[in-house]
């Protein structure tokens, strides 16, 4: 390594600067960040024998069972004057089992086995996994899930319920990835899992660790990978059952003073420059991968980590100066570089996703290029755009050019996960897309036994179109929060004082999909076929779309991606016969997905036996074109019958 961090040689920095020359003025910032990263790696090698050993610290910290069934407890609590273990095994005696103080703020306690040779503290046996991890999918279709609400009943649902009743639905829908929320143990159920109290524990409210392991194993057997929603951006303030004041001080694991407090989240902020904090967090990632065999992580709160201001009061205009300089928390940034480097080195098919609203350049570029090493970032502007449109504009005033801009406004070479609505919109006080579109009409007018009224008709058609446009144009991966695929008709409300601790709305009504005469099944079926169509043609894994039309008057969007033609007519009343659309490859095209099909709650206006032949007539900068019929509020996907789409 060079003497100065400002003169570090980053192996492939030129690749990044050639892709985005506007980053050239910040070359020294990238060099400094990479230098700090290299320095930490070198220290890990020198002090711990490398990151492989360092991230296995969970094998010696916490509680470990020895071959003779004695137990060894080891903790880091540098400011503690004394440490004791208490629990069921000793009748909650606070002083009967003291730890012995060791070097560097570490404490140990040895407990011999019982007279019969069994451990003094009982523990459930471990489950052997049966199925290998699936290969990393080229197209990522994510089903965002919460185990506790994954049942029509108003109660805390279980891991076993998810395994037996929800996994088959996810497989049927065509999702190949599950993103699991609220798995890390948290005392406050209504926190959605984001106020973590125990980082090395799967939430016990849903069942046993073995049942979670079975869930992941069964998912793997179905070819579905499982990501953990990991919260390393902050921690619960709880002192009784959390990390806060673990050793009596306010600086164990966290920054002391205001820097260690998140003013909006009312939580504690980690000190990523601390060696033992790095050991704790990096080992935590390794533990979830090894112990439960997760396939990767969605990192929560990355924006808060990246900046000293935590994103509070910052609009992020896109000016590159916002991403460099003193406002950037380089301790956090280097931690994320380390985390990504380590998990991707140890597990080649590991997937990491960043929840970042700021647009930090190179967030999803390899560490060797000077990036932070994430595989994907969440395209957080897209759901906000759909909310704005539905709240503020009449259908005839939709600006299709602005919609297309929002869908495609992402950094070239950095992959995004597109989603039409967030899990926060499902919470009480907010609205899902289905609620914005149909509101209370969903409670009385979703039966197929009665004609659709105008509100339900509009809602069903736009719900499908919005999701397909987001899926096909918005990113390199797609995410859906559980229940939204069928337009779940009620809000999500966890038990709290304000609702008399009720579980009634802490559920997902999958039973509505199973009721044949309700239109929720039509939305479910469209979502399923949308995913299955993507699985065949692979547009998420393809380069960005070529947009040939965004006609404001006609309200029509036409684009080509993965040699598939997408046509959207958002006009509320106008249908177009003989509408000319631009095409790249010549040949015969046929309908592969049609939002207007009767089975999807449409009006069945398109003849699927129709063959569309291209003409060598250049149009909208494409060499060929063809004439199509495109009804109002309809989206159509056409594929060339003469192209092999095996991707």
């Amino acid at each position: 390594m060079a003497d100065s961090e400002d003169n570090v040689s980053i192996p492939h920095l030129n690749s990044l600067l050639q892709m985005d020359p506007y980053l050239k003025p910040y070359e020294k910032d990238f060099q400094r960040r990479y230098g700090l990263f290299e320095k930490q790696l070198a220290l890990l090698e020198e002090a711990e024998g490398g990151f492989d050993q360092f991230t296995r610290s969970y094998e010696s910290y916490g509680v470990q069972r020895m071959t003779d069934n004695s137990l060894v407890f080891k903790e880091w609590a540098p400011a503690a004057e004394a440490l004791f273990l208490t629990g069921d095994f000793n009748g909650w005696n606070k002083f009967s089992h003291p730890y012995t103080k060791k070097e560097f703020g570490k404490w140990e306690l040895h407990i011999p086995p019982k007279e019969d040779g069994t451990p003094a503290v009982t523990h459930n046996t471990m489950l052997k996994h049966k199925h290998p991890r699936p290969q990393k999918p080229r197209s990522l279709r994510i089903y965002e899930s919460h185990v506790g609400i994954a049942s029509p009943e108003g109660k805390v649902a279980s891991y076993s319920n998810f395994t037996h009743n929800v996994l088959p639905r996810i497989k049927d829908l065509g999702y190949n990835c599950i993103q699991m929320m609220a798995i890390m143990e948290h005392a406050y159920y209504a926190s959605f899992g984001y106020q973590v109290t125990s980082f090395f524990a799967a939430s016990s409210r849903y069942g046993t660790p073995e049942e979670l392991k079975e869930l992941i194993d069964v998912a793997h057997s179905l070819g579905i990978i499982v990501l953990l929603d990991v919260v390393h951006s902050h921690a619960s303030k709880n002192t009784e059952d959390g990390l806060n004041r673990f050793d009596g001080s306010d600086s164990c694991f966290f920054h002391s003073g205001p820097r260690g407090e998140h003013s909006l989240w009312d939580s504690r902020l980690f000190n990523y420059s601390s060696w033992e904090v790095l050991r704790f967090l990096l080992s935590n990632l390794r533990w979830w991968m090894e112990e439960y065999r997760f396939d990767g992580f969605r990192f929560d709160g990355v924006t808060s980590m990246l900046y000293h201001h935590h994103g509070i009061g910052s609009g992020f205009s896109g000016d590159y100066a916002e991403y460099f300089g003193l406002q950037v928390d380089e301790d956090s940034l280097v931690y994320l570089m380390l985390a990504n480097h380590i998990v991707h080195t140890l597990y080649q098919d590991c997937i990491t996703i960043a929840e970042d609203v700021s647009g930090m350049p190179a967030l999803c570029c390899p560490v060797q290029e000077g990036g932070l090493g994430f595989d994907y970032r969440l395209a957080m502007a897209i759901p906000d755009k759909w909310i704005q449109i539905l709240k503020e504009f009449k259908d005839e005033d939709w600006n299709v050019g602005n919609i297309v801009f929002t869908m495609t406004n992402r950094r070239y070479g950095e992959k995004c996960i597109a989603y039409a609505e967030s899990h926060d919109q499902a919470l009480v006080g907010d609205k899902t897309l289905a609620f914005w579109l149909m509101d209370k009409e969903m409670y009385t007018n979703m039966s197929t036994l009665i004609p659709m009224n105008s509100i339900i008709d509009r809602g069903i058609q736009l719900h499908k179109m919005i999701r397909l446009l987001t899926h096909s144009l918005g990113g390199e991966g797609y995410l859906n929060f559980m229940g939204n695929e069928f337009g779940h008709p009620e809000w999500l409300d966890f038990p709290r004082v304000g609702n008399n601790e009720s579980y009634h709305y802490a559920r997902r009504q999958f039973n509505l999909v199973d009721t044949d005469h309700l239109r929720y099944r039509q939305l479910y079926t469209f979502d399923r076929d949308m995913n299955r169509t993507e699985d065949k043609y692979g547009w998420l894994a393809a380069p960005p779309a070529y947009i040939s039309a965004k006609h404001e008057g006609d309200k029509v969007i036409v684009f080509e991606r993965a040699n598939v033609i997408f046509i959207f007519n958002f006009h509320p009343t106008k249908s177009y016969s003989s509408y000319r659309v631009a095409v790249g490859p010549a040949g015969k095209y046929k309908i592969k997905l049609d939002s207007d099909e009767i089975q999807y709650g449409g009006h069945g206006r398109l003849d699927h036996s129709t063959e569309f032949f291209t003409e060598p007539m250049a149009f909208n900068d494409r060499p060929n074109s063809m004439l199509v019929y495109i009804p109002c509020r309809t989206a159509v996907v056409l594929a060339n019958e003469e192209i092999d789409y095996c991707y």
Side-chain angles (χ1 to χ4, degrees):
M1 191 174 72
D3 293 333
S4 168
E5 286 157 359
D6 285 345
N7 295 314
V8 166
S9 175
I10 304 177
H12 304 291
L13 179 60
N14 283 340
S15 299
L16 175 62
L17 299 182
Q18 286 170 8
M19 188 165 63
D20 187 353
Y22 292 101
L23 290 173
K24 182 70 175 173
Y26 305 100
E27 185 172 1
K28 286 192 174 181
D29 292 83
F30 284 109
Q31 289 173 337
R32 184 179 64 259
R33 293 173 180 179
Y34 192 80
L36 292 168
F37 160 76
E38 273 198 327
K39 183 177 180 180
Q40 287 287 35
L41 274 187
L43 287 172
L44 284 174
E45 191 67 42
E46 179 185 325
E48 304 280 346
F51 63 73
D52 184 34
Q53 283 298 111
F54 189 65
T55 57
R56 288 188 183 275
S57 294
Y58 60 85
E59 294 178 349
S60 56
Y61 281 74
V63 58
Q64 306 296 328
R65 185 168 64 180
M66 303 293 103
T67 54
D68 65 349
N69 275 340
S70 63
L71 298 174
V72 178
F73 296 81
K74 183 176 178 181
E75 300 292 350
W76 176 67
E81 295 181 6
L83 213 63
F84 301 90
L85 184 70
T86 181
D88 289 331
F89 77 99
N90 65 359
W92 295 97
N93 186 314
K94 291 185 177 180
F95 305 107
S96 64
H97 287 75
Y99 283 70
T100 302
K101 191 169 187 177
K102 302 291 183 180
E103 289 183 307
F104 309 115
K106 290 160 189 172
W107 297 77
E108 283 189 9
L109 167 64
H110 293 252
I111 303 181
K114 296 178 183 176
E115 288 185 7
D116 63 2
T118 60
V121 182
T122 57
H123 180 66
N124 290 326
T125 55
M126 293 174 62
L127 175 82
K128 185 178 178 184
H129 293 321
K130 301 173 185 175
H131 300 96
R133 285 188 171 104
Q135 286 188 325
K136 181 192 294 188
R138 289 187 62 188
S139 291
L140 200 59
R141 302 182 297 274
I142 304 171
Y143 196 81
E144 187 181 22
S145 305
H146 186 294
V147 169
I149 64 170
S151 164
E153 300 176 63
K155 65 177 184 180
V156 178
S158 67
Y159 294 125
S160 293
N161 166 73
F162 197 95
T163 301
H164 299 294
N165 298 320
V166 183
L167 282 181
R169 294 183 187 274
I170 296 172
K171 178 66 175 177
D172 179 61
L173 279 164
Y175 291 95
N176 57 15
C177 176
I178 301 169
Q179 181 177 299
M180 302 205 75
M181 307 173 66
I183 295 296
M184 302 171 79
E185 189 61 278
H186 51 291
Y188 185 40
Y189 189 41
S191 73
F192 234 157
Y194 292 118
Q195 292 278 343
V196 174
T197 49
S198 187
F199 287 74
F200 285 87
S203 183
S204 60
R205 57 170 55 86
Y206 316 127
T208 67
E210 286 67 39
E211 288 165 340
L212 174 57
K213 291 173 184 178
E214 181 189 22
L215 186 164
I216 294 170
D217 191 52
V218 173
H220 287 167
S221 76
L222 297 172
I224 298 170
I225 64 171
V226 187
L227 306 182
L228 175 70
D229 198 343
V230 70
V231 186
H232 281 185
S233 49
H234 64 128
S236 168
K237 265 190 174 177
N238 291 15
T239 54
E240 291 295 316
D241 54 359
L243 287 177
N244 194 19
R245 296 191 175 272
F246 184 72
D247 66 348
S249 74
D250 77 337
S251 59
C252 183
F253 292 102
F254 310 111
H255 289 289
S256 61
R259 191 179 175 190
E261 308 264 347
H262 196 291
S263 60
L264 291 185
W265 296 345
D266 193 32
S267 55
R268 297 303 313 273
L269 298 174
F270 287 105
N271 177 4
Y272 302 100
S273 66
S274 162
W275 192 256
E276 294 302 324
V277 170
L278 288 179
R279 184 195 304 278
F280 181 84
L281 295 176
L282 293 172
S283 296
N284 189 232
L285 297 176
R286 183 82 181 266
W287 183 77
W288 287 108
M289 295 289 287
E290 291 284 342
E291 185 72 13
Y292 288 93
R293 298 181 74 243
F294 279 95
D295 301 288
F297 305 96
R298 179 263 201 186
F299 280 75
D300 176 68
V302 169
T303 305
S304 174
M305 297 173 73
L306 290 176
Y307 307 96
H308 290 295
H309 53 63
H310 308 301
I312 300 171
S314 299
F316 294 111
S317 65
D319 184 332
Y320 278 11
E322 297 170 337
Y323 307 122
F324 302 93
L326 296 178
Q327 65 265 36
V328 175
D329 186 335
E330 292 194 335
D331 292 337
S332 304
L333 187 145
V334 170
Y335 163 69
L336 292 171
M337 292 173 74
L338 281 169
N340 277 305
H341 172 75
I342 289 169
V343 296
H344 285 104
T345 302
L346 293 172
Y347 312 97
Q348 284 192 333
D349 282 347
C350 178
I351 291 174
T352 59
I353 300 172
E355 187 213 22
D356 170 45
V357 72
S358 75
M360 167 70 80
L363 185 73
C364 299
C365 289
V367 172
Q368 290 72 23
E369 291 181 9
L372 272 70
F374 285 99
D375 295 289
Y376 298 88
R377 67 177 357 127
L378 292 173
M380 301 178 75
I382 294 176
D384 292 342
K385 174 55 64 176
W386 287 124
I387 291 172
Q388 180 200 17
I389 290 169
L390 294 175
K391 282 175 67 173
E392 299 178 9
F393 297 99
K394 297 177 181 177
D395 294 3
E396 57 269 26
D397 295 332
W398 285 21
N399 185 326
V400 296
N402 184 253
I403 292 171
V404 168
F405 173 78
T406 303
M407 294 289 154
T408 56
N409 182 28
R410 55 187 184 271
R411 293 186 56 78
Y412 183 79
E414 298 191 44
K415 294 188 286 189
C416 285
I417 302 291
Y419 56 115
E421 49 191 330
S422 70
H423 58 237
D424 288 337
Q425 288 174 242
L427 290 169
V428 63
D430 209 331
K431 288 184 176 183
T432 62
L433 287 181
F435 249 121
W436 279 114
L437 290 164
M438 296 177 279
D439 211 78
K440 64 182 186 297
E441 296 291 325
M442 285 195 291
Y443 295 117
T444 54
N445 289 287
M446 287 295 276
S447 172
T448 59
L449 303 178
I450 59 174
M452 279 192 292
N453 64 27
S454 59
I455 293 174
I456 295 296
D457 188 4
R458 171 183 179 266
I460 288 215
Q461 312 321 324
L462 290 179
H463 191 271
K464 294 176 292 186
M465 295 180 71
I466 287 170
R467 297 169 77 78
L468 178 59
L469 185 64
T470 304
H471 199 303
S472 54
L473 192 59
E476 289 69 39
Y478 177 76
L479 178 144
N480 166 71
F481 177 63
M482 65 188 314
N484 286 350
E485 71 276 5
F486 63 85
H488 197 276
E490 66 185 18
W491 57 82
L492 174 61
D493 194 11
F494 288 97
R496 54 189 172 85
V497 174
N499 66 9
N500 296 317
E501 304 296 336
S502 171
Y503 285 84
H504 179 72
Y505 292 111
R507 61 178 182 168
R508 296 280 90 179
Q509 294 191 66
F510 293 114
N511 54 298
L512 298 175
V513 176
D514 301 330
T515 307
D516 289 340
H517 70 271
L518 294 181
R519 297 192 183 278
Y520 299 105
R521 186 167 187 81
Q522 297 173 337
L523 294 176
Y524 174 100
T525 304
F526 179 78
D527 198 81
R528 179 197 69 193
D529 290 355
M530 174 174 69
N531 282 323
R532 290 181 180 182
T533 307
E534 195 288 325
D535 189 58
K536 180 175 181 179
Y537 298 106
W539 58 73
L540 288 171
Y546 181 89
I547 299 145
S548 60
K550 40 187 177 180
H551 197 290
E552 297 299 342
D554 295 344
K555 302 299 176 206
V556 169
I557 299 170
V558 181
F559 59 90
E560 193 175 324
R561 191 175 184 189
N563 290 318
V564 174
I565 308 296
F566 296 85
I567 308 169
F568 292 80
N569 179 5
F570 279 101
H571 202 286
T573 58
K574 288 184 181 178
S575 299
Y576 306 106
S577 58
S578 301
Y579 198 86
R580 186 166 295 279
V581 298
V583 181
K588 178 178 70 175
Y589 285 76
K590 293 199 73 173
I591 296 172
K592 301 302 176 182
L593 185 66
D594 164 20
S595 70
D596 197 47
E597 273 200 71
I598 299 290
Q599 65 167 329
Y600 307 143
H603 300 282
R605 291 168 287 183
L606 290 169
D607 180 358
H608 284 221
S609 66
T610 304
E611 296 176 337
F612 301 93
F613 292 92
T614 60
E615 306 171 59
M617 181 185 296
F619 186 68
N620 287 348
D621 296 324
R622 301 304 273 163
N624 300 289
S625 59
M626 59 188 176
L627 298 175
V628 300
Y629 168 48
I630 179 72
C632 61
R633 284 188 182 141
T634 295
V636 181
V637 178
L638 303 173
N640 193 322
E641 294 284 284
E642 298 164 18
I643 292 178
D644 181 4
Y645 285 96
C646 294
Y647 78 103

